[in-house]
C-alpha cells in the first residue's frame, strides 16, 4: 500500500500518485487508478473506456502547513452492448459523487460539534476557511 494513502487516510488501496506539484503553500497531488476490465452491471457485457475526466478535490486537513488539492483522474465507462449503452464513471471511496471536498470535511464538522461552546454559525464560518 502507498504510504501517502496512509498519510491522507484514503480508503482506496489501488490509488497511484502520478504527479506532485508545489506552488506556494499549495500541494497538488494527481491520483489515478490502474485500468482494470469493467463489466456492465445491467447486462454483463464488457465496458470500454471513454476517456479520463479530471476532478479537483480539496482536502481540508493541512499537510506540513500546505493546503492540499487532489486531482482525481476518473475513467468513464460505457457498455459495448448496443441495446444497453450503460454509462458510468469510476468512483473513489474517500469522496462522494459530485462533491468538491473529501469526506474528511464531514468528520471535521461532526468533531467541531463536540465543543458545547461552538454554535452552528461559528462552525460554518470555520469550515468555509478550510
Amino acid at each position: 500500500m502507498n504510504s501517502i494513502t496512509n498519510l491522507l487516510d484514503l480508503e482506496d488501496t489501488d490509488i497511484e500518485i502520478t504527479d506532485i506539484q508545489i506552488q506556494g503553500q499549495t500541494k497538488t497531488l494527481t491520483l489515478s487508478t490502474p485500468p482494470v476490465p469493467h463489466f456492465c452491471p445491467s447486462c454483463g457485457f464488457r465496458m470500454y473506456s471513454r476517456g479520463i475526466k479530471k476532478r479537483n478535490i480539496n482536502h481540508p486537513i493541512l499537510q506540513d502547513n500546505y493546503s492540499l488539492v487532489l486531482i482525481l483522474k476518473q475513467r468513464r465507462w460505457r457498455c459495448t452492448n448496443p441495446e444497453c449503452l450503460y454509462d458510468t464513471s469510476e468512483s473513489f471511496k474517500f469522496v462522494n459523487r459530485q462533491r468538491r471536498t473529501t469526506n474528511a470535511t464531514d468528520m471535521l464538522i461532526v468533531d467541531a460539534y463536540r465543543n458545547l461552546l461552538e454554535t452552528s454559525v461559528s462552525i460554518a464560518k470555520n469550515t468555509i476557511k478550510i
Side-chain angles (χ1 to χ4, degrees):
M1 179 185 265
N2 213 337
S3 62
I4 194 75
T5 58
N6 289 336
L7 177 67
L8 299 176
D9 196 24
L10 302 179
E11 299 171 27
D12 298 286
T13 57
D14 57 343
I15 293 177
E16 298 174 349
I17 299 173
T18 57
D19 187 31
I20 299 174
Q21 295 179 356
I22 301 174
Q23 295 177 339
Q25 290 299 106
T26 303
K27 283 186 182 179
T28 305
L29 272 65
T30 304
L31 306 174
S32 64
T33 56
V36 294
H38 277 69
F39 295 93
C40 181
S42 299
C43 66
F45 273 63
R46 190 173 175 115
M47 299 179 84
Y48 70 94
S49 176
R50 295 184 51 222
I52 295 177
K53 174 179 73 170
K54 292 182 180 180
R55 286 178 60 192
N56 288 341
I57 305 295
N58 293 318
H59 190 67
I61 301 170
L62 296 178
Q63 301 293 329
D64 299 329
N65 291 328
Y66 287 96
S67 60
L68 187 61
V69 176
L70 306 174
I71 298 176
L72 302 179
K73 289 186 171 183
Q74 291 182 300
R75 284 184 183 78
R76 300 179 305 159
W77 297 96
R78 175 166 281 168
C79 181
T80 56
N81 184 357
E83 297 175 4
C84 178
L85 296 178
Y86 180 80
D87 196 18
T88 188
S89 294
E90 280 182 334
S91 62
F92 294 90
K93 295 177 185 174
F94 63 91
V95 64
N96 291 339
R97 190 175 172 152
Q98 298 179 350
R99 295 236 357 231
R100 294 177 190 253
T101 59
T102 61
N103 295 339
T105 304
D106 300 338
M107 297 312 298
L108 291 173
I109 293 170
V110 169
D111 190 49
Y113 274 110
R114 291 183 184 180
N115 184 357
L116 298 176
L117 300 176
E118 290 283 334
T119 64
S120 296
V121 173
S122 66
I123 291 172
K125 286 180 182 177
N126 290 336
T127 305
I128 292 173
K129 292 177 186 176
I130 295 173

